[in-house]
């Protein structure tokens, strides 16, 4: 099955700055989800965006989806030290119930 | 944390040992999953259960044996493991099968080290 691929692999920013990471995928999807994982812990769901949606917001998070380019972006505004984590995109293909995860983007927010 | 608990949190075992990982969800969900997370690799889906029935075995070696006695509990029985099986094993649940516009809820994981 296909996977989302996140870019960049790692990102280091100053507290208060914005962080942007991208996800690309290969085939048609039903939805795309973003998850956060703090070091060595379980994943926490952030946002789900459906294939017929282009943008969603949740607090300081903004997700876009461009199905023509098969890509999504996650923007974290006004970053905080607590945002330090790995971020994963997961795609759900059309007609399939499984989620395929990428290898993640590691974000470090410096105080 | 998120309604999905896993025990133990850490496990060290020899290659000849037999151990079990336990997952319990308190969310009333019908689908449960086992994932393997190795360093710098994407999460690997191992098994999927929906209403206690296994719907997915992602070519997992037989030294990993899942068990789902009811919709709230999921086990992963381990025997004759290899050092390359060392990883973080994550359990997740969802109201139904993920992909149908639902999110998955993850447990904190079991860090497994095989010596």
């Amino acid at each position: 099955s296909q996977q989302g691929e996140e870019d960049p692999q790692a990102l280091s920013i100053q507290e208060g700055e914005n962080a942007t990471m991208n996800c690309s995928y290969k085939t048609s999807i039903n939805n795309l989800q973003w998850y956060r994982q703090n070091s060595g812990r379980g994943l926490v769901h952030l946002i789900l965006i459906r294939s017929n949606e282009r943008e969603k917001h949740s607090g300081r998070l903004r997700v876009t989806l461009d199905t023509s380019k098969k890509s999504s972006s996650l923007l974290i505004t006004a970053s905080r030290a607590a945002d330090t984590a790995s971020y994963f995109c997961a795609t759900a293909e059309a007609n399939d119930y499984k989620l395929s995860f990428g290898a993640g983007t590691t974000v470090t927010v410096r105080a | 944390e998120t309604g999905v608990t896993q025990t133990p949190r850490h496990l060290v075992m020899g290659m000849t040992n037999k151990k079990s990982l336990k997952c319990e969800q308190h969310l009333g969900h019908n689908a449960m999953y086992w994932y393997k997370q190795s360093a710098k690799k994407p999460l690997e889906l191992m098994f999927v259960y929906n209403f206690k029935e296994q719907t997915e075995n992602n070519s997992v070696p037989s030294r990993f044996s899942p068990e789902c006695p009811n919709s709230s509990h999921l086990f992963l029985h381990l025997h004759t493991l290899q050092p390359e099986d060392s990883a973080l094993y994550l359990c997740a649940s969802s109201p139904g099968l993920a992909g149908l516009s639902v999110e998955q809820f993850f447990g904190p994981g079991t860090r497994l080290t095989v010596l």
Side-chain angles (χ1 to χ4, degrees):
Chain A
S1 62
Q2 68 153 26
Q3 297 176 343
E5 291 186 12
E6 293 92 343
D7 173 65
Q9 290 186 348
L11 183 59
S12 181
I13 56 174
Q14 199 74 30
E15 201 166 27
E17 293 179 340
N18 296 342
T20 301
M21 60 212 84
N22 303 295
C23 172
S24 60
Y25 57 92
K26 296 184 175 67
T27 63
S28 296
I29 60 171
N30 175 288
N31 67 75
L32 186 145
Q33 304 179 29
W34 285 92
Y35 288 79
R36 183 189 74 227
Q37 183 181 34
N38 292 90
S39 180
R41 309 294 292 276
L43 278 71
V44 175
H45 182 265
L46 297 176
I47 288 186
L48 181 153
I49 186 165
R50 294 180 175 80
S51 59
N52 61 353
E53 298 175 313
R54 291 296 168 259
E55 188 171 310
K56 285 191 83 168
H57 296 257
S58 177
R60 295 182 295 111
L61 305 179
R62 174 179 163 241
V63 168
T64 63
L65 179 64
D66 187 335
T67 53
S68 66
K69 295 181 179 178
K70 293 187 171 56
S71 68
S72 173
S73 68
L74 171 65
L75 168 67
I76 305 172
T77 60
S79 63
R80 305 167 181 169
D83 295 327
T84 295
S86 292
Y87 292 82
F88 297 86
C89 70
T91 53
E93 292 182 42
N95 302 316
D96 191 1
Y97 60 82
K98 296 187 292 292
L99 285 179
S100 296
F101 287 82
T105 293
T106 300
V107 175
T108 302
V109 181
R110 304 186 306 274
Chain B
E1 294 178 38
T2 60
V4 180
T5 58
Q6 290 186 242
T7 54
R9 294 292 304 274
H10 301 272
L11 178 62
V12 179
M13 59 187 289
M15 289 191 286
T16 58
N17 291 159
K18 288 184 180 181
K19 296 287 184 184
S20 295
L21 310 184
K22 178 182 176 182
C23 175
E24 183 174 1
Q25 57 95 0
H26 312 273
L27 302 169
H29 290 168
N30 297 312
M32 296 187 77
Y33 313 78
W34 279 118
Y35 288 91
K36 174 184 179 183
Q37 186 178 33
S38 304
K40 301 195 185 306
K41 291 177 66 176
L43 265 70
E44 299 173 49
L45 179 65
M46 300 175 71
F47 301 103
V48 181
Y49 279 81
N50 191 39
F51 290 96
K52 303 188 301 177
E53 298 299 319
Q54 187 179 116
T55 60
E56 183 81 18
N57 177 337
N58 199 22
S59 301
V60 180
S62 59
R63 57 185 183 270
F64 295 91
S65 175
E67 179 190 0
C68 188
N70 55 61
S71 291
S72 298
H73 294 85
L74 186 64
F75 294 89
L76 188 63
H77 304 298
L78 316 171
H79 65 96
T80 330
L81 293 192
Q82 304 298 311
E84 59 264 29
D85 297 322
S86 298
L88 183 67
Y89 289 83
L90 293 164
C91 174
S93 71
S94 64
L97 290 179
L100 301 177
S101 296
V102 294
E103 64 186 89
Q104 292 186 15
F105 293 77
F106 283 80
T110 294
R111 174 66 64 184
L112 173 67
T113 302
V114 181
L115 301 176

